[in-house]
Amino acid sequence: MLYKQDMPSLSVVMPSMNEEETIRICIQKAQTIFKNYGIEGEIIVADNSSDRTAEIAASMGAKVIGPIKGYGNAYLKGLAEAKGDYIAIADADNTYDLLELDKFLDPLMAGEADFIMGTRLKGEIKKGAMPWLHQYIGNPILTAMLNFLFKTKISDAHCGMRAFTKESLEKMNLKTHGMELASEMIIEAARCGLRIKEVPITYYSRKAPSKLRSFQDGWRHVRFMMLYRPGPFLYIPGAFVFVLGFLITASLLLTENAAYNRLHSFILGSMLLIIGGQILATGGYMKTYGLIHGMYRDEKAGKKLLSYHSLERELLGGSLILALGLVIGLKVAYTWVISGYGSLKEVESAVISMVLAAVGLQLIFSAVFVSVMLLEVDTDW
Ligand SMILES: Nc1nc2c(ncn2[C@@H]2O[C@H](COP(=O)(O)OP(=O)(O)O)[C@@H](O)[C@H]2O)c(=O)[nH]1
Ligand SMILES: [Mg+2]
């Protein structure tokens, strides 16, 4: 139990799933830190175990909550319970040495930073502690993406040992249920303008098997970043592909008989137009989802684009493009009928009709889908 005094207090939150071999040592180390600092401390174990983890943790005075499925969920519920002025988080697998918490607490308590990240890549990684794929490929790539997209300067975005002040936690809008919470926390810290500091730590190997699934969890982080920043993932490539398709198709249409002489380029251009449209539409869906869930700082432009009236205009625009495609398609069919159902040489018109119909339909469906997503939102967008 924490009592508010002048003395600061510390909450240590640990998610656990079948960590009976290591939960004891983790709690002991946290308690040693409480003693060394002479601070009031509480340990919260957000558990989802079928072994004796919860029983051991409770017997050592930790507050055990659960069962909680999902790494993100465990933190969301665990952090909601935390009452300390300072909050530290770490795995319950003893891969992080909780005695190293001093490196996190000192700068926090000195007011030098609001959010302290451990870094194993600038610290030490014991032999066999981190799979090769994570150490040299997954983690550096995901970290670089995060740094690029969110202008952070982190060296180990997936380090699970972190600490922050209670006020910082309250500022961050954390909500993801899975492993992507690790990325969300950094993105939110950066978004809220928290002062982030890294401290090198040592990473030890695990006893029980890891719960991480490299590819599924890696992809969850990428998907999450995409949601926050659809621009570099979808808008920019989508617009590039669309414009390229448009230029190829338009330049061929302006060339005499090019649709026949350069048929393959013509089809390539058309394909790029359709693909570009699809990528842009997906960007629109992601942006809508992000706006609904308050993920962006500057929401004005996005909200305007998604306002009821602009959706109506998109619907109208899509219908006109589709209608044009259908008219051209009908013209092709008519030519076929009056030619006595013989062989046709209307490839150019047929392809244009197909592209217009596909792009027009995409626009109509996107406008409909986005407006359906907005049904649940209580605004006058
Ligand atoms: N409550 C809860 N804890 C989990 C869950 N999945 C993983 N954990 C715990 O979260 C921490 C991080 O998971 P871990 O397997 O160590 O991932 P790694 O450090 O990336 O290998 C460990 O303490 C796990 O026991 C879950 O679904 N629920
Ligand atoms: Mg771990």
Side-chain angles (χ1 to χ4, degrees):
M1 192 63 195
L2 285 169
Y3 298 100
K4 264 277 173 276
Q5 299 167 346
D6 288 331
M7 199 196 323
S9 50
L10 170 66
S11 303
V12 175
V13 180
M14 286 187 283
S16 65
M17 190 155 105
N18 300 331
E19 310 286 7
E20 64 182 2
E21 282 185 87
T22 46
I23 188 74
R24 185 180 300 278
I25 180 83
C26 291
I27 294 178
Q28 277 168 354
K29 286 178 173 177
Q31 287 168 340
T32 305
I33 288 286
F34 298 158
K35 212 157 93 212
N36 291 351
Y37 276 78
I39 51 176
E40 292 286 344
E42 64 171 358
I43 295 167
I44 298 164
V45 173
D47 187 56
N48 189 38
S49 303
S50 52
D51 66 4
R52 293 183 58 241
T53 307
E55 190 188 321
I56 297 169
S59 75
M60 296 183 71
K63 178 171 187 177
V64 180
I65 53 171
I68 309 170
K69 218 170 157 236
Y71 174 86
N73 277 331
Y75 270 128
L76 293 181
K77 299 233 167 77
L79 290 170
E81 297 283 330
K83 297 190 185 64
D85 302 311
Y86 301 105
I87 297 158
I89 64 170
D91 294 1
D93 54 12
N94 203 30
T95 51
Y96 302 101
D97 180 3
L98 273 105
L99 291 176
E100 286 195 286
L101 270 181
D102 55 353
K103 296 185 182 172
F104 294 71
L105 293 176
D106 292 345
L108 266 191
M109 290 180 170
E112 287 167 18
D114 310 303
F115 186 100
I116 315 285
M117 276 291 299
T119 167
R120 301 162 294 181
L121 297 175
K122 282 192 178 163
E124 188 188 343
I125 297 173
K126 294 282 183 196
K127 207 163 176 280
M130 199 187 283
W132 186 90
L133 179 71
H134 297 177
Q135 186 170 352
Y136 298 105
I137 314 237
N139 198 352
I141 291 179
L142 291 173
T143 301
M145 277 167 83
L146 198 87
N147 283 335
F148 172 74
L149 293 169
F150 302 98
K151 318 246 174 318
T152 47
K153 292 191 185 80
I154 305 278
S155 60
D156 182 6
H158 294 272
C159 182
M161 190 166 174
R162 305 165 181 202
F164 31 85
T165 59
K166 177 93 179 149
E167 297 81 67
S168 305
L169 175 65
E170 281 160 3
K171 281 186 197 156
M172 292 187 282
N173 174 21
L174 304 176
K175 55 198 166 310
T176 46
H177 308 296
M179 287 279 182
E180 61 270 49
L181 185 97
S183 294
E184 183 177 41
M185 207 180 256
I186 300 172
I187 294 170
E188 278 295 314
R191 201 177 86 134
C192 299
L194 300 184
R195 292 167 302 156
I196 304 174
K197 181 182 161 78
E198 279 195 317
V199 293
I201 56 166
T202 306
Y203 193 54
Y204 297 85
S205 50
R206 246 182 167 288
K207 283 202 175 128
S210 170
K211 281 81 198 171
L212 188 79
R213 296 154 305 161
S214 305
F215 289 100
Q216 288 100 317
D217 291 323
W219 156 240
R220 289 180 81 113
H221 289 284
V222 175
R223 185 183 62 181
F224 189 72
M225 287 190 250
M226 203 189 267
L227 198 55
Y228 256 91
R229 289 277 186 281
F233 286 98
L234 295 160
Y235 289 147
I236 296 172
F240 177 76
V241 171
F242 191 84
V243 169
L244 188 67
F246 181 80
L247 291 178
I248 293 176
T249 315
S251 71
L252 291 177
L253 281 177
L254 294 175
T255 321
E256 190 76 14
N257 259 342
Y260 297 100
N261 301 336
R262 310 251 294 273
L263 183 61
H264 300 92
S265 309
F266 192 61
I267 290 177
L268 171 71
S270 308
M271 189 177 85
L272 293 179
L273 271 173
I274 295 173
I275 293 176
Q278 304 242 344
I279 301 174
L280 287 172
T282 309
Y285 307 147
M286 297 289 239
K287 188 86 188 177
T288 310
Y289 183 92
L291 278 169
I292 293 174
H293 292 86
M295 289 176 149
Y296 312 119
R297 270 206 156 164
D298 182 20
E299 303 190 331
K300 263 202 199 125
K303 282 188 174 169
K304 200 160 173 227
L305 201 71
L306 298 178
S307 70
Y308 183 70
H309 294 297
S310 72
L311 287 174
E312 265 185 339
R313 274 198 294 276
E314 282 154 34
L315 209 57
L316 181 70
S319 305
L320 288 176
I321 295 173
L322 174 65
L324 188 62
L326 290 180
V327 167
I328 296 174
L330 282 174
K331 196 186 127 235
V332 175
Y334 177 70
T335 316
W336 182 54
V337 173
I338 58 166
S339 73
Y341 305 102
S343 71
L344 262 184
K345 278 210 152 191
E346 291 289 327
V347 180
E348 189 173 316
S349 301
V351 173
I352 293 171
S353 157
M354 178 192 75
V355 172
L356 290 174
V359 172
L361 264 182
Q362 178 87 58
L363 204 54
I364 293 172
F365 289 149
S366 300
V368 171
F369 182 58
V370 166
S371 58
V372 167
M373 280 205 277
L374 293 178
L375 278 180
E376 63 181 85
V377 183
D378 185 23
T379 65
D380 55 355
W381 290 5

